[in-house]
Amino acid sequence: MADLVNDFSWSRTRDHVFKDCRRRYFYQYYGAWGGWEADADPLVRRLYVLKQLGTRQMWAGRLVHEAVERALLAMRDGYALSEAALIEDTVRQMRGEWRGSRDGIYHEFPKRTGLFEHEYAVRIRDAEWQALRDHVVRCLRNFYRLPLLAEIKQVPADRWSFIENIGSFAFEGTRVFAAPDFGFWNAADRLQLVDWKTGGNGGEGAAIQLGGYALYALEVMGVDLPRVDLLEVNLGAGKVTVHPWNEVSLDRVREHIRLSVRAMRAYLKDPDKNLAEEANFEKSEDLRICRWCNFRAVCRPELPPFSKPEDMEGAAPLPPGTGQRS
Ligand code: SF4
């Protein structure tokens, strides 16, 4: 098999990490490169293991996304997964992954679920884990009750798009990853691009994300904005928000990506070869970011451990991608 090449690309998560902390960005996109090999340099391997960690909220978001995708794939293939079966499977998966994470399986198999809370011994009360499970169940229940799902089911599956695809496209010479979770052409022949959300509103980040989908529609599918609706579906609340888009907002997104790419590339030792040097990526001075950073064990081992359950309350700035895949 040909060697993998660490090509430069852009995504909203990458943009987020870069803004949060340059050093973290270095670890995530350069330092951890190659760490999937079990016999990689120990530091590279450690960075790679840490890179894969997610907070419990991110984990819950991934479980919901996977479950929704399973349900849609089953519908596409002509059989229905009942709500009860999907919830039961997902809760079972959740229990299994939680145990595996608690037992540290991810150290040997980094692609398996590893929770930040286990790696860093953050004490979470049982009631909080149960609340997380309840949240996942609530999201799936709401999914089945969405009028939007009824609409999707009315549409022939060959009018659905994107399931299983990793969407990327070239934007001014850079590979940009920005694809919606799901899309379909509705009865009015409008393209509906759907973003399943399980956490809070992402604010400006969400706007950039949705704008990325609009660009995807334009660049990959050749569909003009007047025929596209961007739907943010908050599964926790069972609420659908339609985000209007026009050329002006799309231009804003283009400019955001353009500037972000330029800033990232300016940090590289050799932009053409995508080569980075750790010393050029400064550490954040905001220790609140460090506290919740996956790489704190390597980067700031002097930080005090999480000692009391109270440490969690109201203190956690949720990391990039919280409540959604990233
Ligand atoms: S511990 Fe702090 S300085 Fe180090 S990578 Fe993480 S956020 Fe950046």
Side-chain angles (χ1 to χ4, degrees):
M1 195 173 86
D3 283 347
L4 288 171
V5 177
N6 188 4
D7 284 332
F8 183 84
S9 63
W10 187 92
S11 69
R12 192 180 68 106
T13 303
R14 190 165 178 144
D15 181 44
H16 229 108
V17 174
F18 183 75
K19 286 210 178 79
D20 260 4
C21 172
R22 304 293 199 255
R23 182 61 60 91
R24 178 176 179 165
Y25 173 84
F26 171 83
Y27 287 147
Q28 187 140 335
Y29 295 101
Y30 298 93
W33 182 259
W36 53 85
E37 305 284 359
D39 60 353
D41 171 275
L43 176 59
V44 173
R45 176 73 177 175
R46 178 88 174 112
L47 291 173
Y48 182 74
V49 169
L50 295 175
K51 171 187 167 171
Q52 311 296 329
L53 297 175
T55 61
R56 63 193 191 283
Q57 293 91 349
M58 294 165 80
W59 173 53
R62 175 180 56 79
L63 288 164
V64 170
H65 274 88
E66 287 177 2
V68 163
E69 185 163 310
R70 277 201 303 281
L72 288 170
L73 283 171
M75 285 173 209
R76 184 195 67 181
D77 295 343
Y79 64 96
L81 267 181
S82 75
E83 176 182 327
L86 190 75
I87 289 175
E88 197 186 318
D89 279 359
T90 306
V91 169
R92 193 182 312 119
Q93 179 188 356
M94 203 171 182
R95 289 207 184 98
E97 290 188 12
W98 186 90
R99 277 196 292 268
S101 171
R102 179 201 59 193
D103 297 343
I105 305 284
Y106 58 91
H107 288 125
E108 196 179 347
F109 303 102
K111 287 286 185 195
R112 302 271 286 274
T113 297
L115 293 174
F116 179 96
E117 286 81 354
H118 287 137
E119 176 68 19
Y120 287 106
V122 184
R123 288 176 55 198
I124 305 295
R125 294 186 184 93
D126 287 349
E128 270 195 72
W129 290 116
Q130 282 153 16
L132 197 67
R133 181 203 56 202
D134 292 347
H135 175 65
V136 167
V137 170
R138 185 166 52 251
C139 287
L140 296 180
R141 287 216 171 104
N142 286 339
F143 168 71
Y144 275 93
R145 282 159 185 68
L146 286 173
L148 180 70
L149 182 62
E151 191 185 343
I152 291 169
K153 283 182 184 167
Q154 306 252 314
V155 175
D158 62 4
R159 307 268 290 160
W160 298 7
S161 312
F162 310 133
I163 290 181
E164 300 169 300
N165 293 347
I166 294 184
S168 72
F169 53 91
F171 173 74
E172 299 178 357
T174 298
R175 193 164 150 89
V176 167
F177 284 89
D181 293 319
F182 182 67
F184 68 100
W185 289 92
N186 70 7
D189 209 27
R190 295 183 62 78
L191 179 61
Q192 310 290 288
L193 298 181
V194 180
D195 187 33
W196 310 116
K197 282 259 185 290
T198 57
N201 188 317
E204 195 218 349
I208 297 299
Q209 184 176 20
L210 287 161
Y213 300 165
L215 258 188
Y216 184 94
L218 200 64
E219 303 287 337
V220 180
M221 303 185 71
V223 182
D224 283 332
L225 280 186
R227 291 183 67 203
V228 180
D229 294 315
L230 301 174
L231 311 182
E232 180 184 338
V233 182
N234 180 333
L235 289 170
K239 193 170 153 239
V240 178
T241 309
V242 182
H243 291 269
W245 277 91
N246 55 33
E247 265 307 320
V248 175
S249 40
L250 194 61
D251 266 347
R252 221 175 286 135
V253 170
R254 285 193 184 102
E255 186 63 2
H256 180 98
I257 298 175
R258 196 174 289 133
L259 292 177
S260 173
V261 165
R262 201 177 297 160
M264 288 173 188
R265 288 173 61 87
Y267 268 75
L268 295 174
K269 187 176 169 219
D270 184 339
D272 291 336
K273 295 196 175 117
N274 194 27
L275 286 181
E277 239 172 35
E278 180 173 343
N280 295 336
F281 292 78
E282 68 271 19
K283 292 186 182 187
S284 169
E285 289 178 6
D286 184 348
L287 295 185
R288 285 171 308 174
I289 294 178
C290 297
R291 190 161 170 71
W292 295 96
C293 171
N294 284 12
F295 301 108
R296 54 175 276 174
V298 169
C299 181
R300 291 208 193 272
E302 70 279 10
L303 282 178
F306 293 88
S307 52
K308 306 187 295 287
E310 287 73 24
D311 283 351
M312 292 299 293
E313 286 172 6
L318 299 180
T322 293
Q324 56 204 322
R325 289 180 306 180
S326 56

